[in-house]
Amino acid sequence: MEVEIKLRLPGAAAHQRLSSFLAPRLLRTDAPARPLAAATTAQRDVRLYGTDDRDPSRAVLMLKRRPRIDAGVSRVEEVMEPLDPALALTCVDNPARLGAVDSPIVRLVSDEYGVGGDKAPFVCLGGFWNTRGVYELEEGEGKGLVLELDETHFDFGTNYELECETAEPDQAKEVLERLLTVAGVPYEYSRSNKFACFMAGKLLP
């Protein structure tokens, strides 16, 4: 079970202000990732990492299902495994090929959802780009928390969000709220995830 705090930022100015405020704590910036959704009952996707999506540095196969989000706390079942980048590109070009991949995730999806066989092959629903700044708090009550500041580009708009995976969501949420207040960055609790926005074809709150 992945448990995350998800706080939505109102726009690019708030994202830039928070990015500048957190700059001394920057661990890394993840290269843009392109997820390719494969079904609607759960988020099953191939994610490509790298600056050139025709020559990715790495790839993963991911399953997220049964998402719940309440007052900015997201809980979702998550399974992830590495995928050979060359094979990932083959699956991007021909999504039905994913059904033949020897993978626990593919077997689970086939057993539970009936997707992946000849009668119900995987299909590509599209994708979006996400650039993520990763930061670590080094002092105070939030010491050790790793924050992820996302800028997600869809065909229909851009979403800005601060996330933090944690086993203690109530405490972590208080830390993030105080940090945003000190930084002078407005926010609201996220009520939907990136995949829901993608499926809706519009930015959701």
Side-chain angles (χ1 to χ4, degrees):
M1 179 71 71
E2 178 191 62
V3 180
E4 287 184 315
I5 308 303
K6 289 179 175 286
L7 302 177
R8 189 70 49 88
L9 307 181
H15 177 273
Q16 181 57 52
R17 185 179 183 91
L18 183 56
S19 177
S20 298
F21 182 81
L22 291 173
R25 307 169 179 88
L26 181 67
L27 294 178
R28 66 183 186 276
T29 300
D30 288 345
R34 184 180 68 167
L36 294 145
T40 58
T41 53
Q43 181 183 351
R44 300 187 280 276
D45 58 40
V46 174
R47 294 191 178 191
L48 306 176
Y49 294 87
T51 55
D52 181 355
D53 66 359
R54 299 309 303 174
D55 185 24
S57 57
R58 68 184 182 97
V60 298
L61 180 61
M62 179 174 289
L63 168 65
K64 289 191 176 188
R65 57 183 183 162
R66 302 187 180 102
R68 305 187 311 277
I69 187 164
D70 180 55
V73 179
S74 168
R75 292 176 172 84
V76 60
E77 293 182 18
E78 180 183 72
V79 185
M80 184 171 59
E81 60 187 78
L83 191 63
D84 176 75
L87 177 57
L89 285 175
T90 299
C91 293
V92 168
D93 293 333
N94 179 12
R97 173 72 177 81
L98 189 60
V101 173
D102 182 18
S103 153
I105 290 178
V106 171
R107 288 192 293 273
L108 187 153
V109 167
S110 178
D111 292 345
E112 292 199 11
Y113 299 98
V115 177
D118 292 337
K119 293 183 179 180
F122 287 102
V123 296
C124 179
L125 301 178
F128 51 87
W129 289 88
N130 188 59
T131 301
R132 168 171 289 173
V134 181
Y135 307 83
E136 184 175 8
L137 301 184
E138 298 178 343
E139 57 187 29
E141 189 178 347
K143 182 177 181 179
L145 284 179
V146 175
L147 312 184
E148 298 171 337
L149 183 58
D150 287 354
E151 180 178 3
T152 308
H153 296 277
F154 302 94
D155 290 341
F156 45 83
T158 304
N159 186 55
Y160 303 93
E161 192 171 49
L162 179 65
E163 299 182 352
C164 177
E165 187 170 353
T166 176
E168 299 178 338
D170 293 335
Q171 179 180 342
K173 186 165 69 169
E174 289 180 5
V175 170
L176 266 60
E177 289 175 339
R178 283 197 297 272
L179 182 145
L180 289 165
T181 299
V182 169
V185 176
Y187 68 93
E188 60 183 23
Y189 296 150
S190 297
R191 290 181 280 163
S192 56
N193 59 30
K194 296 177 181 68
F195 188 63
C197 291
F198 169 73
M199 292 302 298
K202 61 182 180 180
L203 298 179
L204 300 173

